[in-house]
Amino acid sequence: MMEFNNAEADRVKVCLIGNSKLSKMVHSLIPEFQSIAEIIIIDSIFSDALMSARRLVEHDSVDVFISAGANAHYLKDTLPVPVVALELRQSDLVNAVLKARQISNKILLLTYEHQSTWTEFLDYVEGVDIVHRTYKTAEEARETFHGVEKDGIGVVIGSSFICDLAEQEGLPFVMVYSRESCRYMVRKAISVAGEHKREGERRAFVQFLMDSASSPTIITNRDEQVIGFNRSALGLVKGLARNKRIDRFLDSRFLQTPDTVAEGIQVGDRLCRVQKSAFEVDGLRVGHLYAVTAAPQSKSGSEGKTSGLIYESGRMAEVAHFLQVYGATPGAVLLRGETGTGKELAARMIHDSSANKDGPFVAINCAAIPSELFESELFGYADGAFTSSRSGGKSGLLETANNGTFFMDEINSLPLPQQAKLLRVLQEREVRPVGSRRSIALNIKFVAACNHDLLEEVRAGRFREDLYYRLNVFIVNLPPLRERPDDIEPLTRHFIQSLGRQYGIDADENALAEVLVPRFRRYRWPGNVRQLENLMERLLVSSTLYSSTEQFASQLQSLAPELFESTDPGQSGTEGGHLQSVEQEEILKVLDRFGGNKTKAAEYLGISQTTLWRRLKQIRDDRRAVGDDQSGE
């Protein structure tokens, strides 16, 4: 056990909170303890005693308090400094009764209700009638004296405070405490104060060591109650407090084992690695230490974000070409692609290629606008257009996008009544705010996006045919990530760089790419590029919890289990064949719709005529192969 053995710790500051007679008795003992203790005395009782004690604690002017009866009880319940109560010895009570019997044979023993009094022997004292009463408050003690003369009480035994009350009533009294009991109380107080100071120094030193640690650290006892933590842990774990079970702050599964390491644990709003270690004294477990390694947090602002498509594949080079070509035209552009394929980034490329590139880019998600707010949000409203409308009116999103680009994502989610209103805007190129008589001319590049086949929506009656053809001027199909495997590595490297800037992580790009790209290429990516970005964010942040890329690679399955989901090779091939079949059917359907005109079919599909020719050749070859197989049978 470490001991600092500071010289100033040898002499302790003792404060008596008492009154008159007890104060005099303790005062007489001061010379005996002068070399090892500084004893100060404050004459006060009950609430006044508490106020006096708190002032001393605030100024760090006392190491231990001594008091008696009710005073000691009040002080113990509320002060952070040790309080030593004057103990009533049985010998003190016997001597007090013998002294009181010499004055009167009718004795009132009045004590505080929470004080031990050793009254069992009173029934065996001959020749006296002893009435024992207790009190909780000073007022109760005073009320006890109102009827004592009627009861024939001739003498009162009690504390210094009770003796003062008896004296005020003109009754004889005997104080129940002895000088020897007071001496014992002072000795015990000095011992308690010394140990308290030493324990305080040890706690402060342990806290100093914990706060010096760079990583968050939490200590629990063997019952898993928190008994200590450093400033780093307090900053990481919301509401962290002593005497609370650790499972209020960390995963309850930590309770199941004394030693463990958990990867990718969410602590507060941070991803962490938590190592739990048991510590023992003389072979017995006394507590646990939780060492937490927190992954970096994202920096504020938009640093690390990208505004362009990242690709190397020929397929995406075609897409980028058409985005630029169609962006330079005044017509509307329809983007088709699965969720997460980058439709908004594509819309921004169209904007950057348009005549309105210096104007605003305004994006909305049609699925997120409530039907009842559609007109006011898109068209705006005039002053007083309806109850509770903003004074002075409000500009709509279309007016905000004027001389710029207006991007409508998930256009297929727009209800039919709103489709009619949008169609009118596209036809007339003007918008009239709700409640206004004037129209606002619009110069807007319109871009729409959908993740469903709009033509099928038209056939199902869920989308207006006239709006479909108005939006269907130029079409660009954004391929899913699984159909552009050549883009996986450049995207992975891009996200390592951009997310590294965002989180302040200096990652080894080549080492991480070498571990991740082969696994990424075997995955189907149902969430496409957005899923890849989110997964890379998780993995890059998690990689900081490991000392080496090899260690990170060994934990990859636990960090990203979706990458390791087993797939039946036969099923995989069937799925690929199904996707290819769907694509071929769509091409033939579009070609038939345009009467075999390959130029119009290619524009509709958002691909070049060369690509269309190659796809048609593949269809013919596949059908010829199927015919050969059947004839061979």
Side-chain angles (χ1 to χ4, degrees):
M1 183 72 70
M2 66 177 72
E3 297 290 353
F4 285 94
N5 291 325
N6 295 315
E8 62 271 18
D10 294 338
R11 196 164 187 266
V12 300
K13 297 174 184 176
V14 181
C15 177
L16 169 71
I17 303 286
N19 71 316
S20 61
K21 297 170 180 57
L22 177 61
S23 298
K24 290 177 183 177
M25 193 174 287
V26 172
H27 189 272
S28 69
L29 298 172
I30 289 178
E32 294 183 30
F33 299 98
Q34 194 165 9
S35 63
I36 58 174
E38 176 188 349
I39 300 175
I40 57 176
I41 296 173
I42 295 179
D43 239 324
S44 194
I45 60 170
F46 295 94
S47 59
D48 290 338
L50 191 56
M51 289 177 60
S52 301
R54 281 176 173 163
R55 282 195 292 270
L56 288 170
V57 171
E58 287 172 5
H59 292 88
D60 201 22
S61 302
V62 66
D63 297 318
V64 63
F65 287 97
I66 55 177
S67 194
N71 270 355
H73 179 76
Y74 287 147
L75 297 174
K76 274 185 174 180
D77 277 355
T78 56
L79 295 179
V81 175
V83 177
V84 174
L86 179 56
E87 296 177 9
L88 177 58
R89 297 181 173 189
Q90 189 170 9
S91 58
D92 288 345
L93 185 57
V94 170
N95 289 332
V97 169
L98 293 177
K99 288 181 183 178
R101 188 172 64 176
Q102 295 175 3
I103 301 171
S104 172
N105 63 354
K106 191 68 179 287
I107 301 171
L108 171 64
L109 173 62
L110 186 54
T111 60
Y112 180 61
E113 71 168 2
H114 294 297
Q115 188 173 33
S116 300
T117 52
W118 306 97
T119 54
E120 296 83 356
F121 81 100
L122 296 179
D123 294 336
Y124 302 99
V125 180
E126 296 180 354
V128 292
D129 181 9
I130 301 175
V131 178
H132 182 210
R133 297 282 185 270
T134 60
Y135 64 93
K136 291 182 181 178
T137 64
E139 190 57 37
E140 284 187 12
R142 291 188 180 95
E143 289 176 359
T144 304
F145 281 91
H146 291 167
V148 293
E149 289 185 359
K150 295 177 184 178
D151 294 336
I153 299 297
V155 63
V156 177
I157 298 175
S159 65
S160 175
F161 169 62
I162 296 301
C163 291
D164 285 348
L165 292 179
E167 191 172 29
Q168 292 169 15
E169 296 292 332
L171 288 170
F173 58 85
V174 174
M175 192 163 81
V176 74
Y177 304 122
S178 67
R179 194 164 182 268
E180 183 56 35
S181 294
C182 290
R183 180 179 287 110
Y184 177 79
M185 174 181 64
V186 173
R187 285 175 180 160
K188 182 177 179 181
I190 293 170
S191 174
V192 168
E195 181 56 35
H196 181 70
K197 289 184 76 172
R198 288 188 292 274
E199 182 59 31
E201 289 175 342
R202 286 194 290 267
R203 282 198 306 269
F205 183 65
V206 170
Q207 191 65 46
F208 170 76
L209 292 177
M210 290 180 65
D211 287 337
S212 298
S214 58
S215 61
T217 305
I218 303 171
I219 296 176
T220 64
N221 61 17
R222 63 183 167 199
D223 295 325
E224 293 286 14
Q225 288 183 317
V226 176
I227 59 174
F229 47 81
N230 59 7
R231 281 191 291 269
S232 297
L234 188 61
L236 175 67
V237 184
K238 301 292 185 294
L240 184 60
R242 289 179 174 84
N243 302 319
K244 304 291 185 183
R245 284 237 310 185
I246 191 67
D247 53 337
R248 291 189 57 171
F249 312 110
L250 299 179
D251 195 300
S252 60
R253 286 172 291 184
F254 278 111
L255 301 177
Q256 298 170 7
T257 176
D259 295 276
T260 188
V261 177
E263 314 285 355
I265 294 293
Q266 192 79 15
V267 180
D269 57 355
R270 304 280 292 278
L271 194 66
C272 298
R273 180 177 190 265
V274 182
Q275 181 170 354
K276 176 186 178 183
S277 305
F279 56 90
E280 300 179 347
V281 175
D282 297 329
L284 295 175
R285 190 194 314 163
V286 296
H288 310 88
L289 184 141
Y290 290 82
V292 185
T293 303
Q297 276 185 305
S298 175
K299 297 177 181 177
S300 59
S302 59
E303 183 182 1
K305 297 297 181 183
T306 181
S307 59
L309 295 171
I310 305 297
Y311 60 88
E312 281 185 4
S313 66
R315 184 92 178 266
M316 283 304 294
E318 268 186 7
V319 168
H321 170 72
F322 281 110
L323 292 175
Q324 292 172 340
V325 171
Y326 296 159
T329 68
V333 179
L334 179 63
L335 303 174
R336 299 195 305 188
E338 297 178 7
T339 299
T341 49
K343 292 189 285 294
E344 184 168 344
L345 287 179
R348 289 186 179 275
M349 285 188 69
I350 291 172
H351 171 69
D352 292 339
S353 303
S354 73
N356 294 354
K357 63 182 179 181
D358 295 327
F361 177 88
V362 177
I364 65 165
N365 187 315
C366 296
I369 301 179
S371 300
E372 63 273 14
L373 298 180
F374 178 83
E375 282 191 80
S376 61
E377 285 295 312
L378 263 66
F379 304 158
Y381 53 81
D383 187 11
F386 44 81
T387 306
S388 76
S389 63
R390 181 190 296 176
S391 176
K394 176 189 174 184
S395 297
L397 293 173
L398 284 166
E399 185 178 353
T400 303
N402 212 358
N403 298 312
T405 299
F406 190 62
F407 172 54
M408 300 167 286
D409 198 8
E410 296 193 49
I411 190 76
N412 48 285
S413 300
L414 206 58
L416 286 168
Q418 279 69 49
Q419 292 177 29
K421 294 168 184 173
L422 178 61
L423 175 63
R424 193 177 309 117
V425 170
L426 292 171
Q427 288 173 335
E428 299 173 4
R429 290 283 171 165
E430 63 179 24
V431 62
R432 178 178 294 180
V434 178
S436 175
R437 294 182 178 179
R438 68 178 183 87
S439 294
I440 301 169
L442 297 178
N443 171 30
I444 291 177
K445 176 72 173 179
F446 285 97
V447 183
C450 61
N451 51 20
H452 288 72
D453 186 341
L454 273 190
L455 192 55
E456 289 298 326
E457 295 293 292
V458 170
R459 290 168 179 160
R462 292 187 292 267
F463 202 84
R464 291 179 63 103
E465 187 174 14
D466 46 5
L467 177 58
Y468 170 74
Y469 287 116
R470 177 66 64 172
L471 293 172
N472 198 34
V473 181
F474 299 105
I475 297 177
V476 180
N477 288 304
L478 296 174
L481 186 57
R482 61 181 171 272
E483 294 180 12
R484 40 186 283 220
D486 290 346
D487 293 333
I488 288 177
E489 181 167 354
L491 282 167
T492 300
R493 290 182 178 275
H494 166 73
F495 290 134
I496 291 172
Q497 294 170 9
S498 62
L499 292 168
R501 289 192 297 272
Q502 183 180 337
Y503 281 91
I505 300 172
D506 185 16
D508 186 335
E509 178 185 329
N510 291 328
L512 281 178
E514 188 176 340
V515 169
L516 297 175
V517 170
R519 178 58 61 178
F520 285 175
R521 282 180 174 274
R522 294 194 291 271
Y523 185 55
R524 296 290 298 168
W525 297 109
N528 294 295
V529 180
R530 185 181 298 125
Q531 183 190 6
L532 173 59
E533 181 178 14
N534 293 339
L535 181 59
M536 270 308 311
E537 184 172 8
R538 185 204 314 170
L539 294 177
L540 184 64
V541 171
S542 298
S543 71
T544 64
L545 305 178
Y546 302 94
S547 58
S548 67
T549 305
E550 291 74 19
Q551 189 182 13
F552 164 72
S554 69
Q555 296 298 320
L556 186 58
Q557 185 165 2
S558 63
L559 295 171
E562 61 267 42
L563 297 176
F564 293 80
E565 292 173 355
S566 60
T567 56
D568 187 307
Q571 289 181 350
S572 177
T574 302
E575 185 178 2
H578 174 68
L579 289 169
Q580 186 176 353
S581 175
V582 170
E583 182 185 76
Q584 291 179 353
E585 287 178 11
E586 178 68 13
I587 289 172
L588 293 174
K589 193 184 301 178
V590 171
L591 193 62
D592 181 65
R593 182 164 178 264
F594 289 100
N597 188 318
K598 294 182 177 61
T599 301
K600 289 185 178 180
E603 286 180 355
Y604 177 85
L605 291 167
I607 59 178
S608 68
Q609 292 185 52
T610 303
T611 300
L612 178 59
W613 177 85
R614 190 169 58 248
R615 301 279 175 84
L616 291 171
K617 182 178 183 298
Q618 181 65 47
I619 292 172
R620 287 195 298 270
D621 292 343
D622 289 347
R623 290 186 172 180
R624 189 178 297 115
V626 170
D628 291 344
D629 288 344
Q630 290 175 345
S631 63
E633 291 176 358

